[in-house]
């Protein structure tokens, strides 16, 4: 199963690359300034080269967030509601490990004849589309930690967040008459109690690493500047916490840090040994989509001046014109 | 000029019976939806969280409901009183287009029992384009019922109330132009956040303008279509003289839309994408061809003079405007992974049922309320 392949349905070639840039120059005057990351923002580093695909994080995430097992349709005849085997994010799954495979799939983190893992969940955008589109403030971004949470008691189930998230994160449970939006909330309930996100807590290799974004950035810097092959102590759980590190060597990373700039930047960052698009991470430009759509709304509806002026103008004209042709209309019976 | 009168025709006809049957089928599937969830009826999924219930029933449906908006602009703002006979039928179709669009929203909402949160000031999120659309559409439904109220008041003989309402009608006429301008453009703005998932053939900063202009054109097209079909069906005097004058207005709007669409495509260097072989590109051309055909008929005197060509062009405009919306929301949209979407039969039946209910109520209203002009001979 090549879970991260794309099917080109209804689309022409060249579309994906062309769509990777918003019309930035043209929008310079329209877009509002991008949001800045909070100095105390917390984040996560997922290093695909460290991930061994054990899915301990998937199980821990389920337990920590009381999510039900997820069994794909094609496995239901032998897997009866016990073995959680999610293949993608869904209304029942907040976190999933997917695999890239190519050819003989012999070597880890090789694009040709290799394989690689990727973990998918909310990236906790700096300027999140889901927060911007939600009509009832059910999606909220914490001003200090930057965690993006969801409140089902407010949510009306319009699914604009599902449609709008550039990373394809929020999921609606379509098979439940009382369905909800499911989305990783960075285990904010555990963080409130001083614990760390369940997925980072259980990760045996430190592939999922929790910490303040600033320290995450420093750790990324250390990994990317060290020569491949040099010994490195990969922290586990939370950066700076006194857990024994995973002593290994620096792998061959592809260039770039996914999440540093994508769609205005995210608090979850990725390092990988094969190109990010191969892992199913969408190719996105730097502009946050929310800055564009909000900029347009603010331009058109600034203090509601335009609508009020238009209303007064229309009302004046309508009144004058109606008085004028009240006479041409025959009186009604 | 004659006055509006109810059409003296039987309410029970083969047509209305078929419509009733379609409505009943739709309600059956809606029952299933409420008992077992959206997924039990509709093919919408994580990649395509919005299907035809949003795009056809609400986004296209309200554009079909823009007759009242388009005529109010012409009659009340641009002072073209001669079109007044077309006003009430236009308002009536708007009334149902919008009221049923609002109804469709409710059954499409995954957590409809929270819908009232849209009205709670401490929950609303003013940056959300959807909030603007929701509040503005709700307000406009109320305005439409008020604009149409004189028909009820006349029927019930409540001339006193009608006189008071008439005195204040200019307020509602103004709102009846302002609110659709706002939310029809916002239906385009809703896609601005989709930049990374939408084909550049549709994604542009001009989406709000393209949406509101095409909604206006569709509004006039609905009025023309309706006037022609209704006068044919019920053998009323033809409104073609009036319609052919209206045609030039629609023609100019359509040309304006095409110019904006194409200048923008060239300015963004998106035109080469229109020459890549794919279903979406094919539909892009169909959409533009329909608009072009309508424009050509409406701007040429020969086209305007022919009732048949005018009717065809009005239909082309409605189809083109609908396809433009369908393309922008679903076809030109690229989900992030392996998802595809095609509406299921029950899903289609619900949308067909909503449209049937619209036509049915329209027929009932024109037969019981003073909506149409020119039926005096049949009294
Ligand atoms: S990844 Fe999607 S769901 Fe998560 S914060 Fe960003 S926009 Fe919201
Ligand atoms: S589905 Fe819920 S959380 Fe998502 S945008 Fe709609 S109301 Fe907000
Ligand atoms: S942070 Fe918590 S909710 Fe998010 S993926 Fe990790 S365990 Fe799941």
């Amino acid at each position: 199963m090549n879970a991260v392949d794309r099917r080109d349905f209804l689309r022409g070639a060249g579309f994906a690359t062309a769509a990777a840039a918003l019309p930035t120059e043209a929008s310079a005057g329209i877009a509002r300034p991008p949001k800045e990351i909070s100095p105390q923002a917390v984040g996560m580093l997922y290093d695909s080269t460290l991930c061994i695909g054990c899915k301990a994080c998937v199980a821990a995430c389920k337990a920590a967030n009381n999510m039900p097992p997820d069994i794909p349709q094609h496995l239901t005849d032998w897997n009866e509601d016990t073995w959680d085997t999610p293949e993608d994010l869904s209304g029942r799954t907040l976190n999933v490990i997917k695999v890239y495979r190519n050819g003989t799939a012999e070597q880890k983190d090789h694009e040709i004849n290799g394989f690689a893992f990727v973990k998918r969940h909310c990236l906790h955008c700096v300027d999140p589309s889901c927060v911007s589109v939600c009509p009832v403030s059910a999606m909220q971004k914490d001003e200090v930690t930057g965690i993006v949470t969801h409140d089902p008691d407010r949510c009306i189930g319009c699914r604009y967040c599902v449609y709008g998230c550039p990373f394809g994160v929020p999921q609606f449970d379509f098979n439940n008459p009382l369905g909800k939006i499911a989305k990783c909330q960075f285990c904010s309930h555990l963080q409130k109690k001083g614990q760390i996100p369940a997925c980072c807590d259980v990760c045996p290799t430190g592939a999922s690493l929790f910490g303040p974004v600033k320290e995450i950035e420093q750790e990324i810097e250390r990994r990317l500047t060290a020569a491949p092959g040099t010994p490195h102590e990969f922290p586990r759980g939370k950066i700076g916490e006194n857990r024994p590190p995973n002593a290994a060597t620096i792998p061959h990373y592809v260039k770039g840090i996914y999440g540093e700039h994508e769609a205005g930047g995210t608090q979850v960052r990725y390092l990988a040994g094969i190109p990010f698009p191969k892992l199913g991470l969408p190719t996105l430009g730097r502009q946050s989509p929310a800055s564009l759509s909000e900029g347009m709304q603010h331009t058109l509806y600034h203090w509601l001046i335009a609508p009020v002026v238009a209303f007064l103008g229309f009302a004046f004209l309508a009144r004058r014109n109606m008085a004028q042709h009240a006479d041409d209309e025959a009186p009604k019976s | 000029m004659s006055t509006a009168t109810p059409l003296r025709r039987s309410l029970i006809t083969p047509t209305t019976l078929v419509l009733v049957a379609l409505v009943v089928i739709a309600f059956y599937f809606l029952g299933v939806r409420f008992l077992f969830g959206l997924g039990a009826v509709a093919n919408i999924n994580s990649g395509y969280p919005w299907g035809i219930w949003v795009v056809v029933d609400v986004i296209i449906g309200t554009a079909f409901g823009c007759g009242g908006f388009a005529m109010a602009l012409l009659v009340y703002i641009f002072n073209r009183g001669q079109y007044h006979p077309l006003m009430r039928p236009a308002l009536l179709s708007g009334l149902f287009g919008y009221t049923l669009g609002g109804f469709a929203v409710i059954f499409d909402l995954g957590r409809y029992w929270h819908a009232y949160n849209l009205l709670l000031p401490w929950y609303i999120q003013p940056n959300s384009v959807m909030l603007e659309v929701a509040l503005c559409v709700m307000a406009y439904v109320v305005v439409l019922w008020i604009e149409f109220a004189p028909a009820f008041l006349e029927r019930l003989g409540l001339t006193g109330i009608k006189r008071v309402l008439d005195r204040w009608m200019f307020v509602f006429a103004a709102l009846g132009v302002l609110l659709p301008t706002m939310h029809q453009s916002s239906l385009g703005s809703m896609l601005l956040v989709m930049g990374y998932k939408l084909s550049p053939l549709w994604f542009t900063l001009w989406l709000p303008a393209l949406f509101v202009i095409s909604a206006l054109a569709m509004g006039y097209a609905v009025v023309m279509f309706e006037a022609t079909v209704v006068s044919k069906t019920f053998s009323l005097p033809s409104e073609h003289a009036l319609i052919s004058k209206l045609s030039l207005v629609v023609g100019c709007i359509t040309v304006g839309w095409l110019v904006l669409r194409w200048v923008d495509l060239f300015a963004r260097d998106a035109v080469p994408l229109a020459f890549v072989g794919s279903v979406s590109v094919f539909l892009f051309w169909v959409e533009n061809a329909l608009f072009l055909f309508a424009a050509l008929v409406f701007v040429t005197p020969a086209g305007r003079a022919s009732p048949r060509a005018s009717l065809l062009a009005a239909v082309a405009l409605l189809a083109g405007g609908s396809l433009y919306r369908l393309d922008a929301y679903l076809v030109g949209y690229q989900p992030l992974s392996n998802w595809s979407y095609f509406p299921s039969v029950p899903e289609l039946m619900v949308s067909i049922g909503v449209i049937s209910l619209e036509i049915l109520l329209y027929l009932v209203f024109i037969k019981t309320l003073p909506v149409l002009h020119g039926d005096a001979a049949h009294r």
Side-chain angles (χ1 to χ4, degrees):
Chain A
M1 154 208 70
N2 191 346
V4 290
D5 253 4
R6 281 194 184 186
R7 187 183 338 158
D8 248 21
F9 175 65
L10 290 183
R11 274 166 297 279
F15 174 140
T17 41
L22 298 182
T24 345
E25 310 97 87
S27 69
I30 298 279
R32 65 145 166 75
K35 295 245 162 89
E36 300 288 338
I37 191 163
S38 149
Q40 290 101 4
V42 292
M44 193 194 299
L45 168 59
Y46 171 77
D47 188 329
S48 161
T49 67
L50 293 177
C51 181
I52 52 172
C54 69
K55 301 188 184 177
C57 57
V58 179
C61 177
K62 288 264 152 135
N65 294 285
N66 283 324
M67 295 302 280
D70 195 355
I71 294 130
Q73 203 85 61
H74 63 97
L75 300 182
T76 41
D77 29 327
W78 58 268
N79 181 0
E80 283 164 14
D81 240 27
T82 44
W83 188 24
D84 183 40
T85 44
E87 292 182 328
D88 209 335
L89 297 179
S90 77
R92 307 176 135 227
T93 300
L94 309 177
N95 167 29
V96 71
I97 295 287
K98 299 214 234 176
V99 62
Y100 164 84
R101 291 208 306 193
N102 177 276
T104 56
E106 272 161 327
Q107 270 183 301
K108 188 165 186 300
D109 301 314
H110 278 244
E111 195 183 334
I112 310 293
N113 289 334
F115 68 98
F117 297 111
V118 65
K119 179 165 171 257
R120 294 306 312 269
H121 49 67
C122 175
L123 286 93
H124 299 274
C125 300
V126 173
D127 194 352
S129 301
C130 60
V131 172
S132 168
V133 300
C134 181
V136 289
S137 323
M139 293 286 189
Q140 291 207 322
K141 185 171 176 70
D142 189 277
E143 279 180 15
V144 179
T145 61
I147 297 173
V148 179
T149 53
H150 170 75
D151 180 357
D153 291 335
R154 294 186 175 192
C155 175
I156 59 172
C158 68
R159 313 182 299 284
Y160 195 5
C161 53
V162 184
Y163 193 55
C165 168
F167 301 97
V169 169
Q171 303 286 316
F172 186 77
D173 189 359
F174 290 102
N175 299 317
N176 180 345
L178 306 176
K180 275 192 224 174
I181 290 285
K183 168 193 154 323
C184 152
Q185 307 183 58
F186 221 23
C187 288
S188 56
H189 62 299
L190 298 181
Q191 293 201 41
K192 266 187 219 135
K193 293 191 279 182
Q195 291 169 260
I196 67 171
C199 55
C200 300
D201 198 18
V202 299
C203 181
T205 64
S208 289
L209 179 65
F210 175 72
V213 172
K214 283 200 176 131
E215 288 176 39
I216 294 275
E217 283 173 341
Q218 289 161 3
E219 175 63 21
I220 290 174
E221 190 60 26
R222 283 194 285 275
R223 293 185 196 180
L224 289 183
T225 47
T230 33
H232 185 82
E233 299 205 325
F234 293 92
R236 296 187 304 134
K238 179 183 176 185
I239 292 195
E241 206 190 37
N242 51 356
R243 281 191 203 197
N246 170 13
T249 55
I250 295 287
H252 285 271
Y253 287 114
V254 288
K255 254 178 62 183
I257 306 160
Y258 191 86
E260 190 180 18
H261 300 298
E262 274 70 17
T266 64
Q267 292 175 210
V268 172
R269 307 279 166 91
Y270 286 77
L271 289 177
I274 70 165
F276 299 113
K278 297 278 175 215
L279 292 173
L281 294 167
T283 307
L284 305 172
R286 288 176 171 232
Q287 190 176 22
S288 80
S291 68
L292 186 60
S293 66
E294 287 187 17
M296 177 68 86
Q297 289 302 91
H298 296 170
T299 306
L300 297 176
Y301 293 102
H302 187 65
W303 294 114
L304 288 181
I305 293 172
V308 169
V309 170
F311 172 73
L312 293 176
F314 290 157
F316 168 77
L317 289 170
R319 186 170 182 183
R320 194 195 63 189
N321 298 338
M322 277 177 163
Q324 230 173 59
H325 53 75
D327 327 315
D328 354 311
E329 259 182 82
K332 311 266 159 44
S333 55
Chain B
M1 196 182 288
S2 61
T3 58
T5 51
L7 271 183
R8 301 295 148 121
R9 302 287 197 286
S10 168
L11 285 176
I12 299 161
T13 64
T15 318
T16 52
L17 289 178
V18 170
L19 292 170
V20 168
L22 289 170
V23 173
V24 170
I25 294 173
F27 274 89
Y28 166 74
F29 286 121
L30 282 180
V32 176
R33 174 257 172 274
F34 282 111
L35 284 177
F36 301 103
L38 284 162
V41 179
N43 273 350
I44 48 175
N45 52 53
S46 301
Y48 287 87
W50 289 353
I52 54 166
W53 291 355
V54 174
V55 179
V56 173
D57 299 358
V58 183
I59 295 170
I60 296 175
T62 59
F64 270 75
C66 278
F69 161 43
M71 293 313 293
L73 183 69
L74 201 59
V75 173
Y76 298 134
I77 309 302
F78 290 107
N79 200 17
R80 297 290 182 269
Q82 69 266 36
Y83 295 115
H84 208 272
L86 300 177
M87 191 73 213
R88 264 198 198 163
L91 279 176
L92 185 59
S93 63
L95 196 62
F96 295 129
Y98 272 90
T99 308
L100 290 171
F103 168 64
V105 168
I106 293 294
F107 64 71
D108 183 77
L109 282 183
R111 296 172 73 76
Y112 51 88
W113 60 95
H114 282 162
Y116 64 90
N117 286 353
L118 286 165
L119 296 171
L120 303 181
W122 51 94
Y123 277 179
I124 60 169
Q125 203 274 102
N127 288 324
S128 168
V129 187
M130 179 174 286
L131 180 80
E132 198 273 330
V133 172
L135 296 183
C136 198
V137 167
M138 284 187 227
Y140 185 53
V141 170
V142 175
V143 167
L144 274 168
W145 282 94
I146 295 174
E147 283 186 284
F148 190 73
F152 287 102
L153 298 173
E154 273 166 34
R155 178 68 206 248
L156 299 172
L158 299 170
T159 40
I161 304 178
K162 183 172 178 284
R163 214 169 299 132
V164 177
L165 186 59
D166 279 346
R167 190 153 349 114
W168 290 100
M169 195 50 98
F170 74 93
V171 173
F172 300 104
L175 286 174
V177 175
L178 175 71
L179 295 176
T181 312
M182 285 166 62
H183 61 244
Q184 287 296 334
S185 62
S186 290
L187 288 177
S189 305
M190 282 225 289
L191 290 168
L192 286 177
V193 82
M194 303 297 300
Y196 295 120
K197 291 174 161 183
L198 198 59
S199 159
L201 287 178
W202 289 276
F203 183 79
T204 158
L205 289 175
W206 292 98
L207 271 165
L210 288 167
F211 264 70
V212 73
I213 296 170
S214 57
L216 205 54
M218 287 172 78
Y220 291 117
V222 165
V223 173
M224 297 163 80
F225 176 80
E226 209 172 84
T228 314
V229 170
V230 168
S231 61
K232 270 244 159 55
T233 315
F234 300 108
S235 37
L236 302 180
S238 163
E239 306 261 26
H240 189 71
L242 213 47
I243 286 171
S244 69
K245 265 194 280 176
L246 192 57
S247 308
L248 189 58
V249 178
V250 201
C252 294
I253 295 174
T254 312
V255 170
W257 186 88
L258 279 166
V259 169
L260 178 58
R261 183 108 162 82
W262 282 89
V263 167
D264 170 64
L265 284 169
F266 276 104
R268 288 184 297 112
D269 290 328
V271 178
L273 288 174
F275 296 95
V276 181
S278 78
V279 178
S280 63
V281 167
F282 173 72
L283 292 175
F284 165 87
W285 285 107
V286 175
E287 173 198 294
N288 280 282
L290 288 166
F291 274 95
L292 187 65
F293 169 75
L296 288 177
V297 170
F298 288 144
V299 294
T300 49
R304 283 203 298 279
S306 151
R308 171 184 278 262
S310 301
L311 183 65
L312 269 180
V315 171
L317 202 47
L318 291 172
S322 303
L323 191 56
Y324 173 64
R325 283 159 171 72
L326 193 73
D327 286 349
Y329 272 86
L330 286 174
V331 180
Y333 155 82
Q334 178 176 43
L336 292 167
S337 47
N338 272 2
W339 295 101
S340 60
Y341 167 77
F342 196 84
S344 68
V345 172
E347 197 176 357
L348 279 166
M349 290 314 293
V350 169
S351 283
I352 291 171
V354 169
I355 296 163
S356 306
L357 186 57
E358 235 170 278
I359 301 172
L360 187 64
L361 290 174
Y362 184 87
L363 292 176
V364 170
F365 270 51
I366 59 174
K367 287 173 183 175
T368 54
L369 293 172
V371 176
L372 299 175
H373 285 69
D375 195 36
H378 292 270
R379 276 193 152 177

